[in-house]
Amino acid sequence: MACSIATVLDAVGDRWAMLVLRDLVLGLRRYDDLRRSTGITNATLADRLKQLEQNGLIERSLYQSAPERYEYLPTAKGLDVALVLQALAQVGDKWRAQESDEPPLCFVSAQTGGRVRLGLVDERNGAPVPHQDLRVEAGPGADDLMRWRLARRME
């Protein structure tokens, strides 16, 4: 399927894998810490770690040999998913704001300490693009199915 969204979703898998990636991006490395943070069962955590490793999102590194214990590190590809995690956090914060809850995570600039938000910018000039001005078009890699999807929305 010629769909960049499907590519990422296939690599990640499901909610549990996203939560494991969240924790790895936050700096957790060890199995027991991942288990405690997510509340995931041992079987599910072992499966998701294996899946994430097979898909090139994480790598494991031996830190103890008797018994063998590994820590898990996000790869460059895994760190790319941090952008998706930040977008999910922003949406979640917006929804939580309706309950007047403060955000549980803040993304901040290491240089200024100011909060950082994802936004739409014109790649030609860097100018912000309001969401209402966003248009989706078929890209150069679009297949017939993607073109069909985009054509159907016009009807």
Side-chain angles (χ1 to χ4, degrees), residues 77-102:
K77 190 175 173 181
L79 290 173
D80 287 343
V81 179
L83 186 65
V84 176
L85 294 167
Q86 187 176 356
L88 289 170
Q90 269 183 223
V91 172
D93 290 347
K94 180 180 177 183
W95 293 357
R96 289 169 55 87
Q98 296 168 355
E99 303 163 6
S100 71
D101 288 338
E102 292 296 320

Side-chain angles (χ1 to χ4, degrees), residues 9 12-22 38-40 44 48 51-52 85 88:
L9 291 174
V12 171
D14 67 2
R15 173 185 191 265
W16 288 119
M18 284 295 279
L19 294 176
V20 169
L21 280 170
R22 172 205 61 195
T38 59
I40 195 172
T44 303
R48 294 318 180 274
Q51 169 194 333
L52 291 169
L85 294 167
L88 289 170

Side-chain angles (χ1 to χ4, degrees), residues 78-140:
L79 290 173
D80 287 343
V81 179
L83 186 65
V84 176
L85 294 167
Q86 187 176 356
L88 289 170
Q90 269 183 223
V91 172
D93 290 347
K94 180 180 177 183
W95 293 357
R96 289 169 55 87
Q98 296 168 355
E99 303 163 6
S100 71
D101 288 338
E102 292 296 320
L105 284 175
C106 293
F107 297 86
V108 297
S109 166
Q111 293 181 354
T112 68
R115 287 191 182 179
V116 176
R117 296 187 49 81
L118 294 175
L120 302 171
V121 295
D122 187 310
E123 70 177 20
R124 290 183 193 155
N125 61 19
V129 176
H131 193 271
Q132 64 270 16
D133 290 347
L134 182 66
R135 185 176 73 217
V136 181
E137 298 177 347

Side-chain angles (χ1 to χ4, degrees), residues 15-66:
R15 173 185 191 265
W16 288 119
M18 284 295 279
L19 294 176
V20 169
L21 280 170
R22 172 205 61 195
D23 288 348
L24 293 173
V25 168
L26 292 176
L28 297 180
R29 299 286 180 256
R30 300 201 171 157
Y31 186 94
D32 289 339
D33 292 336
L34 296 170
R35 169 99 169 77
R36 180 176 180 196
S37 177
T38 59
I40 195 172
T41 66
N42 283 323
T44 303
L45 178 55
D47 181 67
R48 294 318 180 274
L49 288 169
K50 185 177 180 181
Q51 169 194 333
L52 291 169
E53 186 177 13
Q54 288 173 343
N55 290 332
L57 298 173
I58 66 171
E59 58 189 15
R60 60 186 186 140
S61 174
L62 187 68
Y63 73 87
Q64 178 180 314
S65 56

